[in-house]
Amino acid sequence: MKFDIVTIFPRMIRGGLEEGVVARAADRGLLDVAVHDLRDFTTDRHRTVDDMPYGGGPGMVMKPEPLVRALASIRDSRGVPSTVVVLSPQGKPFTQADAVRLSALPHVALLCGRYEGIDERLRELVDVEEISIGDYVLSGGELAALVVIDAVGRLVPGVVGDAESVVAESFSRGLLDYPHYTRPAVFEGLAVPDVLVSGHHAEVQRWRKRQALVRTFERRPELLAGAALDDEERQWLEDLQKTHRG
Ligand code: ADE
């Protein structure tokens, strides 16, 4: 899978991709990541990427021309991206479902916004999807792009060694993950739950399933409406709701 990232801080992106799962996948040729410095697509001596906002107000706005040129260059040298993502707090909230959807595409371009935002006309000239990684304002889209590349890249077949762990993990069924334990069996007087050392596989599975549901109920109840629950889980949930109501 190909990623192209357009940014005014290429070192920030490269640094973020130097280590970890995505870095190894790039080394193995599973992910092809190219980083483009937006300033390389300016035409003036100062390599200007921003300008004052029409109508006044604070901050600067990213000029559309360098971004459009960067995208044209990507198309010429790397092929037409399947989708162009703009990272901004005005975007649709990024979810695991988006990560799954994007991971099935062969080529994703990511534009990192800076300053007060990008000239609105870019969105009219280029078909883009705008993504936010959460309801807070970062100083730029770079960290958000790294988040998206990580979440998407690790879903590409072969990138994560243990495919089962990707399928079983948090959010894949719309629930939070169950609690995990490793050795020692007793740490600071705290023992690992008996069921996990019982060797009883079916009981372990059932305990985990229940823990995932209870956790989601306690921490993120709004997720339950969209979760795929089986009969047993629905029964547990009813009981939890009854107990909760008192
Ligand atoms: N750029 C600034 N804040 C952002 C956010 N929350 N998500 C994506 N891009 C951003």
Side-chain angles (χ1 to χ4, degrees):
M1 175 174 187
K2 264 194 270 191
F3 289 102
D4 283 88
I5 304 105
V6 179
T7 171
I8 59 165
F9 294 129
R11 281 183 304 169
M12 193 168 169
I13 298 287
R14 292 200 186 100
L17 296 174
E18 240 165 50
E19 264 172 307
V21 168
V22 172
R24 260 179 287 129
D27 289 343
R28 285 155 60 214
L30 291 168
L31 301 177
D32 170 4
V33 185
V35 185
H36 310 273
D37 186 342
L38 183 62
R39 293 193 196 278
D40 291 343
F41 302 97
T42 56
T43 50
D44 65 312
R45 203 158 57 87
H46 301 291
R47 298 171 38 101
T48 310
V49 293
D50 61 335
D51 206 339
M52 282 162 25
Y54 275 112
M60 300 289 270
V61 177
M62 287 182 92
K63 292 165 66 58
E65 310 97 305
L67 287 163
V68 167
R69 264 190 234 112
L71 283 172
S73 162
I74 289 169
R75 275 198 295 274
D76 291 346
S77 61
R78 307 256 304 157
V80 180
S82 324
T83 188
V84 177
V85 172
V86 170
L87 285 316
S88 105
Q90 273 71 52
K92 281 220 303 238
F94 184 61
T95 65
Q96 186 67 18
D98 293 306
V100 170
R101 173 175 58 82
L102 295 176
S103 74
L105 302 177
H107 188 182
V108 173
L110 300 135
L111 308 184
C112 305
R114 279 267 151 186
Y115 315 110
E116 293 308 304
I118 297 175
D119 187 302
E120 193 62 27
R121 288 166 294 186
L122 180 85
R123 295 159 183 88
E124 292 177 49
L125 293 165
V126 183
D127 199 10
V128 301
E129 60 172 307
E130 204 154 339
I131 287 181
S132 163
I133 63 158
D135 290 338
Y136 38 79
V137 180
L138 303 167
S139 47
E142 282 75 11
L143 290 172
L146 288 171
V147 165
V148 170
I149 293 166
D150 191 280
V152 172
R154 62 190 294 285
L155 296 175
V156 171
V159 169
V160 171
D162 186 358
E164 207 185 306
S165 75
V166 173
V167 176
E169 71 198 353
S170 198
F171 289 116
S172 60
R173 284 195 318 125
L175 297 177
L176 300 185
D177 206 356
Y178 53 77
H180 299 264
Y181 295 88
T182 187
R183 287 182 289 184
V186 180
F187 178 64
E188 304 259 339
L190 300 174
V192 169
D194 282 339
V195 59
L196 297 180
V197 288
S198 68
H200 198 305
H201 182 69
E203 286 298 309
V204 169
Q205 291 305 98
R206 192 153 179 270
W207 181 85
R208 287 178 168 166
K209 192 171 134 184
R210 164 122 189 134
Q211 291 293 315
L213 187 79
V214 170
R215 261 194 177 182
T216 310
F217 177 76
E218 287 172 350
R219 301 182 188 182
R220 299 289 305 278
E222 80 280 9
L223 294 178
L224 290 165
L229 302 181
D230 65 19
D231 290 344
E232 190 175 43
E233 288 166 323
R234 261 195 298 276
Q235 187 57 57
W236 284 339
L237 180 58
E238 256 177 55
D239 296 343
L240 285 167
Q241 283 162 339
K242 264 186 224 145
T243 318
H244 190 67
R245 278 189 225 111

